Amino acid sequence: MAVHPITIMGEPVLHRRALPVEAFDDELRTLIADMFETMDVANGVGLAAPQIGVGLRIFVYGMENDDDVAPRGVLVNPTLVTSKVPGSDPDPDDEAEGCLSVPGEAFPLKRADWVRVSGFDGDGSPVEFEATGWFARCMQHEYDHLDGKLYVDRLNARESRKAKKALKNNGWGVPGLTWLPGVDPDPFGH
């Protein structure tokens, strides 16, 4: 297993739709193991392949939940169905979201409270479950990465202005920026 550098917003792979996985082989299983290792060292709860520069439809997660779903898993070529996203403003205390590809920042965002996820595990076996609450938020966040979206792309106008200011202040939005978990300081202070 290897820890990979995490791409920062502005890297092209983060802003385009990832391609479907076609082969469930040892190369895929090695990539998945590396993704888990990278997520763990980065203290993340999820990691999508584009976040380590790989444009494939894969994400891993590690999050306790109340939905009787294993707290660690992988989804390959997933699909997602959600409940309606509430139209109210997000709560800055209870709905602040962060992202390893927007290191050290957090902005409030409304998400659907329920999702149905289906896809495959690393061996090609079908996986399907429902998620609620923060676990549902995690699933939506990681799935967005596979469609070339970051959570900051979904912020309301007020929060979007704050995110654009942070982007500018951090010098992000250009290709080639990464940080390496376990070597670089943890941007979230874990």
Side-chain angles (χ1 to χ4, degrees):
M1 292 186 294
V3 174
H4 292 254
I6 295 177
T7 57
I8 294 174
M9 62 185 302
E11 186 63 31
V13 71
L14 289 172
H15 305 284
R16 67 175 172 250
R17 185 174 171 82
L19 298 173
V21 169
E22 294 182 2
F24 291 83
D25 55 15
D26 287 342
E27 188 176 332
L28 175 66
R29 285 183 282 282
T30 298
L31 173 61
I32 291 167
D34 288 355
M35 289 174 65
F36 274 117
E37 182 74 9
T38 302
M39 177 186 72
D40 291 344
V41 173
N43 296 301
V45 296
L47 183 74
Q51 292 183 274
I52 60 167
V54 178
L56 292 174
R57 297 187 74 77
I58 308 165
F59 70 79
V60 296
Y61 65 88
M63 185 176 209
E64 295 293 331
N65 61 80
D66 296 324
D67 300 304
D68 296 323
V69 177
R72 284 176 71 81
V74 59
L75 283 152
V76 180
N77 298 337
T79 59
L80 196 74
V81 175
T82 70
S83 60
K84 186 177 178 185
V85 178
S88 56
D89 285 337
D91 183 307
D93 296 321
D94 294 333
E95 296 177 306
E97 203 164 303
C99 178
L100 297 174
S101 291
V102 187
E105 301 292 338
F107 301 97
L109 174 66
K110 277 290 185 195
R111 293 275 194 185
D113 292 327
W114 172 91
V115 299
R116 178 181 294 121
V117 183
S118 58
F120 301 91
D121 67 13
D123 297 317
S125 298
V127 175
E128 185 171 358
F129 58 84
E130 294 181 4
T132 59
W134 273 93
F135 189 43
R137 178 179 293 272
C138 177
M139 296 298 104
Q140 293 166 81
H141 180 111
E142 299 310 327
Y143 185 83
D144 274 353
H145 279 299
L146 306 183
D147 284 343
K149 292 191 183 325
L150 297 172
Y151 85 103
V152 293
D153 297 328
R154 294 191 177 278
L155 298 175
N156 66 24
R158 180 173 182 238
E159 298 302 328
S160 182
R161 284 190 296 276
K162 292 179 185 177
K164 287 176 183 171
K165 185 176 181 181
L167 173 116
K168 183 178 178 183
N169 290 342
N170 286 302
W172 299 334
V174 296
L177 300 177
T178 62
W179 69 279
L180 185 57
V183 174
D184 294 324
D186 184 327
F188 294 98
H190 294 109

mmCIF file of all heavy atoms in Angstrom, residues 126-159:
data_model
loop_
_atom_site.group_PDB
_atom_site.id
_atom_site.type_symbol
_atom_site.label_atom_id
_atom_site.label_comp_id
_atom_site.label_asym_id
_atom_site.label_seq_id
_atom_site.Cartn_x
_atom_site.Cartn_y
_atom_site.Cartn_z
ATOM 1 N N PRO A 126 -22.054 -6.874 -6.538
ATOM 2 C CA PRO A 126 -22.978 -5.749 -6.346
ATOM 3 C C PRO A 126 -23.033 -5.293 -4.885
ATOM 4 O O PRO A 126 -22.947 -6.101 -3.964
ATOM 5 C CB PRO A 126 -24.335 -6.299 -6.777
ATOM 6 C CG PRO A 126 -24.035 -7.517 -7.584
ATOM 7 C CD PRO A 126 -22.737 -8.065 -7.067
ATOM 8 N N VAL A 127 -23.177 -3.983 -4.714
ATOM 9 C CA VAL A 127 -23.333 -3.358 -3.399
ATOM 10 C C VAL A 127 -24.517 -2.412 -3.510
ATOM 11 O O VAL A 127 -24.629 -1.668 -4.494
ATOM 12 C CB VAL A 127 -22.077 -2.543 -3.018
ATOM 13 C CG1 VAL A 127 -22.289 -1.787 -1.713
ATOM 14 C CG2 VAL A 127 -20.852 -3.426 -2.943
ATOM 15 N N GLU A 128 -25.401 -2.446 -2.515
ATOM 16 C CA GLU A 128 -26.511 -1.491 -2.489
ATOM 17 C C GLU A 128 -26.906 -1.248 -1.040
ATOM 18 O O GLU A 128 -26.971 -2.185 -0.242
ATOM 19 C CB GLU A 128 -27.712 -2.022 -3.270
ATOM 20 C CG GLU A 128 -28.828 -0.997 -3.372
ATOM 21 C CD GLU A 128 -29.938 -1.410 -4.331
ATOM 22 O OE1 GLU A 128 -29.849 -2.475 -4.964
ATOM 23 O OE2 GLU A 128 -30.915 -0.649 -4.418
ATOM 24 N N PHE A 129 -27.123 0.020 -0.706
ATOM 25 C CA PHE A 129 -27.575 0.363 0.638
ATOM 26 C C PHE A 129 -28.185 1.753 0.633
ATOM 27 O O PHE A 129 -28.054 2.504 -0.333
ATOM 28 C CB PHE A 129 -26.436 0.273 1.663
ATOM 29 C CG PHE A 129 -25.248 1.149 1.381
ATOM 30 C CD1 PHE A 129 -25.229 2.486 1.779
ATOM 31 C CD2 PHE A 129 -24.121 0.632 0.746
ATOM 32 C CE1 PHE A 129 -24.129 3.297 1.536
ATOM 33 C CE2 PHE A 129 -23.020 1.433 0.496
ATOM 34 C CZ PHE A 129 -23.020 2.773 0.888
ATOM 35 N N GLU A 130 -28.866 2.053 1.742
ATOM 36 C CA GLU A 130 -29.410 3.387 1.961
ATOM 37 C C GLU A 130 -28.596 4.050 3.060
ATOM 38 O O GLU A 130 -28.105 3.370 3.971
ATOM 39 C CB GLU A 130 -30.881 3.308 2.354
ATOM 40 C CG GLU A 130 -31.747 2.778 1.230
ATOM 41 C CD GLU A 130 -33.223 2.701 1.594
ATOM 42 O OE1 GLU A 130 -33.603 3.126 2.712
ATOM 43 O OE2 GLU A 130 -33.991 2.218 0.761
ATOM 44 N N ALA A 131 -28.447 5.366 2.963
ATOM 45 C CA ALA A 131 -27.685 6.122 3.954
ATOM 46 C C ALA A 131 -28.476 7.352 4.359
ATOM 47 O O ALA A 131 -29.204 7.927 3.546
ATOM 48 C CB ALA A 131 -26.331 6.523 3.378
ATOM 49 N N THR A 132 -28.302 7.744 5.625
ATOM 50 C CA THR A 132 -29.001 8.910 6.152
ATOM 51 C C THR A 132 -28.000 9.825 6.860
ATOM 52 O O THR A 132 -26.876 9.423 7.168
ATOM 53 C CB THR A 132 -30.108 8.504 7.141
ATOM 54 O OG1 THR A 132 -29.511 7.776 8.220
ATOM 55 C CG2 THR A 132 -31.171 7.651 6.467
ATOM 56 N N GLY A 133 -28.435 11.048 7.125
ATOM 57 C CA GLY A 133 -27.652 11.982 7.924
ATOM 58 C C GLY A 133 -26.277 12.264 7.345
ATOM 59 O O GLY A 133 -26.111 12.450 6.155
ATOM 60 N N TRP A 134 -25.267 12.280 8.225
ATOM 61 C CA TRP A 134 -23.899 12.592 7.798
ATOM 62 C C TRP A 134 -23.341 11.521 6.874
ATOM 63 O O TRP A 134 -22.511 11.815 6.005
ATOM 64 C CB TRP A 134 -22.988 12.808 9.006
ATOM 65 C CG TRP A 134 -23.062 14.225 9.448
ATOM 66 C CD1 TRP A 134 -23.892 14.751 10.400
ATOM 67 C CD2 TRP A 134 -22.335 15.330 8.904
ATOM 68 N NE1 TRP A 134 -23.714 16.105 10.482
ATOM 69 C CE2 TRP A 134 -22.758 16.492 9.581
ATOM 70 C CE3 TRP A 134 -21.373 15.454 7.913
ATOM 71 C CZ2 TRP A 134 -22.249 17.754 9.297
ATOM 72 C CZ3 TRP A 134 -20.858 16.715 7.637
ATOM 73 C CH2 TRP A 134 -21.290 17.835 8.319
ATOM 74 N N PHE A 135 -23.784 10.287 7.036
ATOM 75 C CA PHE A 135 -23.330 9.229 6.130
ATOM 76 C C PHE A 135 -23.857 9.506 4.728
ATOM 77 O O PHE A 135 -23.133 9.357 3.745
ATOM 78 C CB PHE A 135 -23.786 7.869 6.664
ATOM 79 C CG PHE A 135 -23.192 6.696 5.945
ATOM 80 C CD1 PHE A 135 -21.861 6.656 5.591
ATOM 81 C CD2 PHE A 135 -23.994 5.603 5.638
ATOM 82 C CE1 PHE A 135 -21.317 5.558 4.930
ATOM 83 C CE2 PHE A 135 -23.468 4.498 4.992
ATOM 84 C CZ PHE A 135 -22.120 4.471 4.625
ATOM 85 N N ALA A 136 -25.093 9.951 4.613
ATOM 86 C CA ALA A 136 -25.654 10.333 3.309
ATOM 87 C C ALA A 136 -24.873 11.508 2.730
ATOM 88 O O ALA A 136 -24.615 11.560 1.519
ATOM 89 C CB ALA A 136 -27.134 10.685 3.445
ATOM 90 N N ARG A 137 -24.502 12.451 3.572
ATOM 91 C CA ARG A 137 -23.705 13.601 3.125
ATOM 92 C C ARG A 137 -22.369 13.112 2.542
ATOM 93 O O ARG A 137 -21.923 13.574 1.490
ATOM 94 C CB ARG A 137 -23.456 14.550 4.297
ATOM 95 C CG ARG A 137 -22.605 15.760 3.957
ATOM 96 C CD ARG A 137 -22.414 16.674 5.151
ATOM 97 N NE ARG A 137 -23.636 17.317 5.560
ATOM 98 C CZ ARG A 137 -24.074 18.482 5.060
ATOM 99 N NH1 ARG A 137 -23.362 19.126 4.158
ATOM 100 N NH2 ARG A 137 -25.206 18.994 5.475
ATOM 101 N N CYS A 138 -21.716 12.195 3.236
ATOM 102 C CA CYS A 138 -20.448 11.646 2.757
ATOM 103 C C CYS A 138 -20.614 10.993 1.381
ATOM 104 O O CYS A 138 -19.800 11.208 0.478
ATOM 105 C CB CYS A 138 -19.908 10.643 3.775
ATOM 106 S SG CYS A 138 -18.382 9.813 3.295
ATOM 107 N N MET A 139 -21.671 10.213 1.218
ATOM 108 C CA MET A 139 -21.904 9.541 -0.064
ATOM 109 C C MET A 139 -22.096 10.565 -1.192
ATOM 110 O O MET A 139 -21.548 10.408 -2.284
ATOM 111 C CB MET A 139 -23.129 8.622 0.016
ATOM 112 C CG MET A 139 -23.000 7.459 0.989
ATOM 113 S SD MET A 139 -21.676 6.290 0.577
ATOM 114 C CE MET A 139 -20.429 6.750 1.782
ATOM 115 N N GLN A 140 -22.860 11.612 -0.934
ATOM 116 C CA GLN A 140 -23.091 12.642 -1.942
ATOM 117 C C GLN A 140 -21.798 13.385 -2.274
ATOM 118 O O GLN A 140 -21.517 13.670 -3.438
ATOM 119 C CB GLN A 140 -24.153 13.636 -1.451
ATOM 120 C CG GLN A 140 -25.532 13.017 -1.331
ATOM 121 C CD GLN A 140 -26.471 13.896 -0.547
ATOM 122 O OE1 GLN A 140 -27.030 14.842 -1.089
ATOM 123 N NE2 GLN A 140 -26.641 13.605 0.740
ATOM 124 N N HIS A 141 -21.022 13.686 -1.256
ATOM 125 C CA HIS A 141 -19.766 14.412 -1.438
ATOM 126 C C HIS A 141 -18.814 13.610 -2.330
ATOM 127 O O HIS A 141 -18.261 14.144 -3.296
ATOM 128 C CB HIS A 141 -19.139 14.667 -0.060
ATOM 129 C CG HIS A 141 -17.848 15.400 -0.098
ATOM 130 N ND1 HIS A 141 -17.717 16.683 0.359
ATOM 131 C CD2 HIS A 141 -16.609 15.030 -0.519
ATOM 132 C CE1 HIS A 141 -16.462 17.080 0.216
ATOM 133 N NE2 HIS A 141 -15.769 16.085 -0.316
ATOM 134 N N GLU A 142 -18.627 12.333 -2.002
ATOM 135 C CA GLU A 142 -17.702 11.503 -2.778
ATOM 136 C C GLU A 142 -18.227 11.255 -4.189
ATOM 137 O O GLU A 142 -17.464 11.282 -5.156
ATOM 138 C CB GLU A 142 -17.409 10.191 -2.055
ATOM 139 C CG GLU A 142 -16.747 10.351 -0.696
ATOM 140 C CD GLU A 142 -15.523 11.254 -0.688
ATOM 141 O OE1 GLU A 142 -14.774 11.299 -1.692
ATOM 142 O OE2 GLU A 142 -15.315 11.944 0.325
ATOM 143 N N TYR A 143 -19.525 11.030 -4.307
ATOM 144 C CA TYR A 143 -20.115 10.826 -5.635
ATOM 145 C C TYR A 143 -19.919 12.059 -6.517
ATOM 146 O O TYR A 143 -19.626 11.941 -7.710
ATOM 147 C CB TYR A 143 -21.601 10.475 -5.501
ATOM 148 C CG TYR A 143 -22.238 10.136 -6.825
ATOM 149 C CD1 TYR A 143 -22.130 8.853 -7.350
ATOM 150 C CD2 TYR A 143 -22.916 11.098 -7.558
ATOM 151 C CE1 TYR A 143 -22.696 8.538 -8.581
ATOM 152 C CE2 TYR A 143 -23.483 10.790 -8.786
ATOM 153 C CZ TYR A 143 -23.367 9.513 -9.286
ATOM 154 O OH TYR A 143 -23.919 9.210 -10.507
ATOM 155 N N ASP A 144 -20.068 13.251 -5.936
ATOM 156 C CA ASP A 144 -19.849 14.479 -6.696
ATOM 157 C C ASP A 144 -18.461 14.500 -7.329
ATOM 158 O O ASP A 144 -18.295 14.959 -8.461
ATOM 159 C CB ASP A 144 -20.012 15.714 -5.801
ATOM 160 C CG ASP A 144 -21.447 16.186 -5.675
ATOM 161 O OD1 ASP A 144 -22.336 15.661 -6.374
ATOM 162 O OD2 ASP A 144 -21.677 17.112 -4.865
ATOM 163 N N HIS A 145 -17.456 14.014 -6.600
ATOM 164 C CA HIS A 145 -16.101 13.985 -7.154
ATOM 165 C C HIS A 145 -16.047 13.200 -8.465
ATOM 166 O O HIS A 145 -15.281 13.530 -9.366
ATOM 167 C CB HIS A 145 -15.110 13.365 -6.163
ATOM 168 C CG HIS A 145 -14.637 14.294 -5.099
ATOM 169 N ND1 HIS A 145 -13.950 15.458 -5.368
ATOM 170 C CD2 HIS A 145 -14.729 14.217 -3.745
ATOM 171 C CE1 HIS A 145 -13.640 16.062 -4.229
ATOM 172 N NE2 HIS A 145 -14.117 15.337 -3.224
ATOM 173 N N LEU A 146 -16.860 12.166 -8.564
ATOM 174 C CA LEU A 146 -16.847 11.328 -9.767
ATOM 175 C C LEU A 146 -17.474 12.046 -10.956
ATOM 176 O O LEU A 146 -17.233 11.672 -12.101
ATOM 177 C CB LEU A 146 -17.557 10.005 -9.493
ATOM 178 C CG LEU A 146 -17.044 9.223 -8.278
ATOM 179 C CD1 LEU A 146 -17.768 7.897 -8.161
ATOM 180 C CD2 LEU A 146 -15.534 9.040 -8.308
ATOM 181 N N ASP A 147 -18.269 13.060 -10.677
ATOM 182 C CA ASP A 147 -18.882 13.867 -11.742
ATOM 183 C C ASP A 147 -18.143 15.178 -11.976
ATOM 184 O O ASP A 147 -18.637 16.072 -12.664
ATOM 185 C CB ASP A 147 -20.348 14.143 -11.411
ATOM 186 C CG ASP A 147 -21.232 12.928 -11.664
ATOM 187 O OD1 ASP A 147 -20.786 12.004 -12.377
ATOM 188 O OD2 ASP A 147 -22.357 12.895 -11.141
ATOM 189 N N GLY A 148 -16.957 15.327 -11.375
ATOM 190 C CA GLY A 148 -16.156 16.524 -11.590
ATOM 191 C C GLY A 148 -16.608 17.724 -10.788
ATOM 192 O O GLY A 148 -16.320 18.862 -11.156
ATOM 193 N N LYS A 149 -17.306 17.472 -9.679
ATOM 194 C CA LYS A 149 -17.783 18.571 -8.833
ATOM 195 C C LYS A 149 -17.133 18.495 -7.452
ATOM 196 O O LYS A 149 -16.946 17.411 -6.909
ATOM 197 C CB LYS A 149 -19.295 18.497 -8.650
ATOM 198 C CG LYS A 149 -20.095 18.761 -9.898
ATOM 199 C CD LYS A 149 -21.551 18.928 -9.551
ATOM 200 C CE LYS A 149 -22.462 19.130 -10.722
ATOM 201 N NZ LYS A 149 -21.985 19.872 -11.833
ATOM 202 N N LEU A 150 -16.812 19.666 -6.928
ATOM 203 C CA LEU A 150 -16.370 19.778 -5.544
ATOM 204 C C LEU A 150 -17.521 20.379 -4.749
ATOM 205 O O LEU A 150 -18.367 21.079 -5.312
ATOM 206 C CB LEU A 150 -15.148 20.676 -5.439
ATOM 207 C CG LEU A 150 -13.887 20.176 -6.161
ATOM 208 C CD1 LEU A 150 -12.808 21.243 -6.142
ATOM 209 C CD2 LEU A 150 -13.386 18.901 -5.530
ATOM 210 N N TYR A 151 -17.529 20.147 -3.449
ATOM 211 C CA TYR A 151 -18.632 20.683 -2.654
ATOM 212 C C TYR A 151 -18.730 22.194 -2.765
ATOM 213 O O TYR A 151 -19.819 22.748 -2.711
ATOM 214 C CB TYR A 151 -18.547 20.205 -1.200
ATOM 215 C CG TYR A 151 -17.671 21.023 -0.292
ATOM 216 C CD1 TYR A 151 -18.223 21.920 0.623
ATOM 217 C CD2 TYR A 151 -16.289 20.908 -0.330
ATOM 218 C CE1 TYR A 151 -17.428 22.667 1.473
ATOM 219 C CE2 TYR A 151 -15.490 21.647 0.510
ATOM 220 C CZ TYR A 151 -16.055 22.529 1.406
ATOM 221 O OH TYR A 151 -15.262 23.269 2.237
ATOM 222 N N VAL A 152 -17.601 22.877 -2.974
ATOM 223 C CA VAL A 152 -17.638 24.341 -3.090
ATOM 224 C C VAL A 152 -18.381 24.796 -4.350
ATOM 225 O O VAL A 152 -18.838 25.932 -4.427
ATOM 226 C CB VAL A 152 -16.224 24.970 -3.027
ATOM 227 C CG1 VAL A 152 -15.622 24.783 -1.635
ATOM 228 C CG2 VAL A 152 -15.318 24.401 -4.102
ATOM 229 N N ASP A 153 -18.524 23.903 -5.330
ATOM 230 C CA ASP A 153 -19.300 24.223 -6.540
ATOM 231 C C ASP A 153 -20.793 24.288 -6.252
ATOM 232 O O ASP A 153 -21.556 24.810 -7.060
ATOM 233 C CB ASP A 153 -19.062 23.173 -7.634
ATOM 234 C CG ASP A 153 -17.621 23.124 -8.105
ATOM 235 O OD1 ASP A 153 -16.953 24.181 -8.094
ATOM 236 O OD2 ASP A 153 -17.159 22.026 -8.470
ATOM 237 N N ARG A 154 -21.224 23.745 -5.110
ATOM 238 C CA ARG A 154 -22.646 23.683 -4.769
ATOM 239 C C ARG A 154 -23.062 24.712 -3.712
ATOM 240 O O ARG A 154 -24.210 24.740 -3.307
ATOM 241 C CB ARG A 154 -22.994 22.286 -4.252
ATOM 242 C CG ARG A 154 -22.861 21.196 -5.297
ATOM 243 C CD ARG A 154 -23.475 19.910 -4.784
ATOM 244 N NE ARG A 154 -23.431 18.852 -5.757
ATOM 245 C CZ ARG A 154 -24.298 18.688 -6.743
ATOM 246 N NH1 ARG A 154 -25.293 19.533 -6.898
ATOM 247 N NH2 ARG A 154 -24.178 17.679 -7.574
ATOM 248 N N LEU A 155 -22.140 25.525 -3.251
ATOM 249 C CA LEU A 155 -22.451 26.476 -2.180
ATOM 250 C C LEU A 155 -23.428 27.548 -2.637
ATOM 251 O O LEU A 155 -23.456 27.903 -3.821
ATOM 252 C CB LEU A 155 -21.158 27.154 -1.697
ATOM 253 C CG LEU A 155 -20.101 26.235 -1.099
ATOM 254 C CD1 LEU A 155 -18.832 27.030 -0.778
ATOM 255 C CD2 LEU A 155 -20.612 25.521 0.148
ATOM 256 N N ASN A 156 -24.187 28.095 -1.675
ATOM 257 C CA ASN A 156 -25.066 29.222 -2.004
ATOM 258 C C ASN A 156 -24.192 30.448 -2.296
ATOM 259 O O ASN A 156 -22.970 30.427 -2.105
ATOM 260 C CB ASN A 156 -26.098 29.473 -0.894
ATOM 261 C CG ASN A 156 -25.486 29.947 0.412
ATOM 262 O OD1 ASN A 156 -24.395 30.512 0.467
ATOM 263 N ND2 ASN A 156 -26.213 29.723 1.510
ATOM 264 N N ALA A 157 -24.803 31.521 -2.773
ATOM 265 C CA ALA A 157 -24.050 32.691 -3.241
ATOM 266 C C ALA A 157 -23.140 33.266 -2.156
ATOM 267 O O ALA A 157 -21.970 33.592 -2.422
ATOM 268 C CB ALA A 157 -25.011 33.762 -3.759
ATOM 269 N N ARG A 158 -23.656 33.377 -0.946
ATOM 270 C CA ARG A 158 -22.863 33.963 0.142
ATOM 271 C C ARG A 158 -21.632 33.120 0.446
ATOM 272 O O ARG A 158 -20.506 33.630 0.553
ATOM 273 C CB ARG A 158 -23.742 34.111 1.384
ATOM 274 C CG ARG A 158 -23.014 34.702 2.566
ATOM 275 C CD ARG A 158 -24.000 34.982 3.718
ATOM 276 N NE ARG A 158 -23.292 35.591 4.812
ATOM 277 C CZ ARG A 158 -23.247 35.092 6.031
ATOM 278 N NH1 ARG A 158 -23.899 33.993 6.317
ATOM 279 N NH2 ARG A 158 -22.576 35.697 6.981
ATOM 280 N N GLU A 159 -21.830 31.820 0.609
ATOM 281 C CA GLU A 159 -20.714 30.933 0.933
ATOM 282 C C GLU A 159 -19.768 30.788 -0.256
ATOM 283 O O GLU A 159 -18.564 30.623 -0.077
ATOM 284 C CB GLU A 159 -21.232 29.571 1.400
ATOM 285 C CG GLU A 159 -22.065 29.630 2.672
ATOM 286 C CD GLU A 159 -21.317 30.231 3.864
ATOM 287 O OE1 GLU A 159 -20.075 30.073 3.967
ATOM 288 O OE2 GLU A 159 -21.975 30.871 4.707
#
